[in-house]
Amino acid sequence: MPAKLNITDKRMLLLPGMLIKARIIMYPKDFYEALSINKQDYYGLKRRDPAARHFSVDHILLVCKIYGIDGNWILGLQNENPFRFQLTAQSKPDTKGPLFLGKKKATAR
């Protein structure tokens, strides 16, 4: 039976995807390498392996310092924006690039 994750582990596992979406990091490995976490431990937590280590207080503090994440959000005391800053237009996902699969705008010829 998979181990139940606590709120801090759940939110720490959400962060790589959020940071990629905000264009702060490129790959999940950038996240766990910045925290000096083994790839196996990171993916073990993601798979809810009972033998996997949990994120420590030092990991949480490091994430807050490196990426500007609000520690209250990680601890579950706040449900709003986890970033301590407002995302700018540069860090928001590009919806006009060639990879955007939305509706095409009609162009006049």
Side-chain angles (χ1 to χ4, degrees):
M1 180 174 180
K4 185 175 179 182
L5 292 176
N6 57 34
I7 188 81
T8 56
D9 288 340
K10 286 179 188 175
R11 293 201 171 178
M12 289 287 283
L13 289 172
L14 286 175
L15 279 175
M18 295 172 77
L19 293 169
I20 290 170
K21 187 174 181 180
R23 295 185 176 187
I24 296 172
I25 62 173
M26 294 284 293
Y27 306 104
K29 72 174 185 141
D30 298 335
F31 179 77
Y32 62 76
E33 284 178 355
L35 299 178
S36 300
I37 297 173
N38 285 339
K39 183 178 178 180
Q40 293 80 10
D41 287 338
Y42 175 78
Y43 286 107
L45 263 172
K46 203 168 184 176
R47 286 189 321 267
R48 297 182 182 184
D49 182 7
R53 293 181 174 177
H54 295 277
F55 291 101
S56 69
V57 174
D58 293 331
H59 292 138
I60 294 170
L61 289 173
L62 199 55
V63 162
C64 294
K65 288 179 184 175
I66 292 175
Y67 299 116
I69 302 298
D70 188 356
N72 289 329
W73 179 82
I74 295 173
L75 296 173
L77 301 174
Q78 169 185 321
N79 289 326
E80 297 152 12
N81 183 15
F83 299 100
R84 288 186 294 197
F85 55 87
Q86 290 295 326
L87 294 177
T88 63
Q90 292 176 342
S91 63
K92 290 183 181 174
D94 180 19
T95 58
K96 296 177 183 156
L99 299 177
F100 180 64
L101 301 175
K103 292 182 180 179
K104 293 182 180 178
K105 293 183 181 179
T107 56
R109 289 186 185 219

